[in-house]
């Protein structure tokens, strides 16, 4: 059993009636049905994380194949735009719609030669993309890019001079390539490179190459890892979990090497685990004198009507936790900047 934040613990439990195993991501609540994260009480988080029928899905429209009729239909169904008007640097080219009630519209099928009109996603996953503040012409690295949702979102924000999408896992790499093919027109594909490099080697392969780097790190994904029909796979995930913080730190160190001085690095996970979130960032800040935290608390202040945030104890870090009517997350986001001084490695 592992403590993740305050009085929150992961533990293993028995199979459910429906044949699914809720394994190490079920939550122990100290005898109450209450999540206590650093003194903040969120009563609905446990219920939402273990109830897929409560989950919400945002609709990110593809500006390269804009669905005007779908947009009208979403308005008629009561959907509203996310972020616009609340974030000062929100890109006008990004349109994302959501409904406050659970449910989802059907996904589009992949068809060679035809661009999809929308992408379904957890709205909180756009926060790392927006924190990066991508501008036209910049060189950007998406170090752990599959399945491709954040790469797609980056391209809705701006037209980079060069976008490098990397994915080490060969099966996920195929998924990434298909996602890019489904959403991005051929002329823009020419400024995108897709690679299958171990992310821990990227910094040595392309030192100080990028203006912006996104590290959406492999993590103990609290939504997708909650359920498993395979008890052996669940046990394997518990074992893998112990090694994740070290991997995440190594990926960040590689990303720092790949980032030019003055560049921006955003780190994100979809877990509540303090060991994979705040502790990882603290280790990086303590071991790299050329890395500075950037205050992003303003995002929490301006987006509180769409998301529920838990305290992180860090000005450079945000943690979105699922809540009733705001079933987004978990999503941890930290923003860092590389200075011009030499750091410790």
């Amino acid at each position: 059993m592992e403590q993740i934040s305050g009085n929150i613990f992961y533990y293993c439990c028995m199979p459910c009636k429906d044949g699914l195993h809720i394994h190490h991501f079920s939550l122990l609540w100290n005898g109450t049905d209450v999540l206590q994260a650093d003194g903040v009480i969120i009563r609905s988080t446990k219920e939402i994380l273990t109830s897929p029928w409560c989950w919400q899905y945002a609709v990110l429209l593809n500006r390269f194949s804009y669905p005007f009729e779908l947009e009208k239909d979403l308005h008629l169904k009561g959907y509203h735009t996310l972020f616009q008007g609340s974030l000062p640097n929100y890109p006008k080219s990004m349109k994302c719609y959501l409904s406050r009630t659970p449910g989802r519209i059907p996904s589009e099928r992949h068809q060679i030669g035809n661009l999809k009109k929308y992408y379904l996603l957890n709205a909180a996953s756009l926060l790392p993309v927006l924190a990066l503040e991508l501008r036209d012409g910049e060189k950007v690295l998406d170090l752990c890019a599959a399945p491709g949702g954040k790469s797609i979102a980056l391209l809705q924000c701006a037209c980079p001079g060069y976008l490098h999408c990397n994915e080490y896992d060969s099966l996920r790499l195929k998924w990434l390539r298909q996602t890019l093919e489904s959403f991005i027109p051929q002329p823009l594909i020419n400024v995108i490179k897709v690679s299958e490099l171990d992310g821990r080697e990227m910094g040595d392969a392309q030192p100080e190459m990028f203006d912006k780097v996104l590290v959406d790190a492999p993590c103990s994904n609290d939504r997708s890892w909650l359920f498993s029909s395979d008890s052996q796979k669940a046990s394997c995930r518990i074992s893998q979990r112990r090694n994740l913080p070290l991997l995440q730190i190594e990926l960040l160190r590689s990303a720092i090497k790949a980032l030019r001085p003055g560049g921006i690095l955003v780190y994100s996970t979809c877990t509540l685990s303090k060991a994979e979130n705040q502790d990882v960032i603290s280790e990086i800040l303590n071991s790299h004198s050329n890395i500075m935290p950037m205050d992003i608390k303003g995002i929490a202040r301006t987006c509180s009507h769409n998301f529920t945030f838990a305290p992180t104890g860090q000005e450079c870090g945000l943690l979105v936790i699922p809540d009733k009517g705001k079933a987004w997350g978990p999503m941890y986001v930290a923003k860092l900047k590389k200075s011009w001084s030499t750091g410790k490695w």
Side-chain angles (χ1 to χ4, degrees), residues 127-135 138-143 154 209-215 252 255-267 290-296 316 333-340:
L127 291 177
V129 172
L130 294 171
L132 207 58
E133 296 187 64
L134 182 64
R135 296 181 175 88
E138 290 184 322
K139 296 180 180 179
V140 60
L141 168 64
D142 190 350
L143 188 61
L154 284 167
M209 172 75 175
F210 300 96
D211 301 300
K212 306 281 175 71
V213 178
L214 174 62
V215 182
L252 279 171
I256 290 167
K257 290 181 181 180
L259 186 65
R260 67 164 179 81
I264 301 299
L265 168 62
V266 170
Y267 172 75
N290 64 336
I291 297 299
M292 303 178 296
M294 298 192 70
D295 190 344
I296 55 172
C316 67
V333 185
K335 186 173 183 177
L336 308 172
K337 184 174 183 178
K338 186 174 182 179
S339 70
W340 293 88

Side-chain angles (χ1 to χ4, degrees), residues 72-271:
K72 292 179 184 177
D73 189 46
L74 292 175
H75 280 294
L76 291 174
K77 291 180 178 178
Y79 281 71
H80 62 278
T81 54
L82 185 64
F83 299 121
Q84 286 188 333
S86 60
L87 288 177
N89 296 319
Y90 188 87
K92 294 181 180 179
S93 56
M94 177 185 279
K95 288 285 188 73
C96 185
Y97 284 85
L98 62 89
S99 170
R100 291 200 178 279
T101 58
R104 59 182 291 174
I105 65 174
S107 298
E108 292 181 288
R109 290 186 177 183
H110 173 69
Q111 295 181 330
I112 297 176
N114 292 328
L115 296 182
K116 291 184 178 182
K117 299 183 182 301
Y118 60 90
Y119 188 88
L120 301 181
L121 75 169
N122 185 321
S125 66
L126 292 178
L127 291 177
V129 172
L130 294 171
L132 207 58
E133 296 187 64
L134 182 64
R135 296 181 175 88
D136 289 348
E138 290 184 322
K139 296 180 180 179
V140 60
L141 168 64
D142 190 350
L143 188 61
C144 311
K150 291 182 178 63
S151 294
I152 294 301
L154 284 167
L155 291 164
Q156 304 304 314
C157 297
C159 292
Y162 175 62
L163 172 61
H164 189 148
C165 301
N166 182 71
E167 177 55 51
Y168 187 44
D169 183 280
S170 58
L171 292 177
R172 289 172 60 82
L173 181 70
K174 292 180 182 178
W175 191 1
L176 170 63
R177 290 186 186 277
Q178 186 177 94
T179 301
L180 293 172
E181 182 182 311
S182 295
F183 285 90
I184 307 304
Q186 190 59 46
L188 195 54
I189 289 290
N190 295 332
V191 303
I192 300 174
K193 178 179 179 179
V194 179
S195 65
E196 192 178 358
L197 186 67
D198 185 332
R200 293 170 291 187
E201 300 173 1
M202 184 65 73
D204 291 326
Q206 300 198 49
E208 299 189 351
M209 172 75 175
F210 300 96
D211 301 300
K212 306 281 175 71
V213 178
L214 174 62
V215 182
D216 186 42
C219 68
S220 46
N221 184 323
D222 288 355
R223 275 183 193 255
S224 67
W225 283 27
L226 272 167
F227 306 99
S228 175
S229 58
D230 185 336
S231 59
Q232 278 191 324
K233 183 180 290 186
S235 298
C236 180
R237 283 173 169 171
I238 294 171
S239 176
Q240 290 174 343
R241 175 177 172 74
R242 300 187 184 99
N243 300 321
L244 282 171
L246 177 59
L247 171 62
Q248 291 155 349
I249 290 168
E250 290 175 342
L251 287 169
L252 279 171
R253 287 178 173 158
S254 176
I256 290 167
K257 290 181 181 180
L259 186 65
R260 67 164 179 81
I264 301 299
L265 168 62
V266 170
Y267 172 75
S268 62
T269 73
C270 44
T271 179

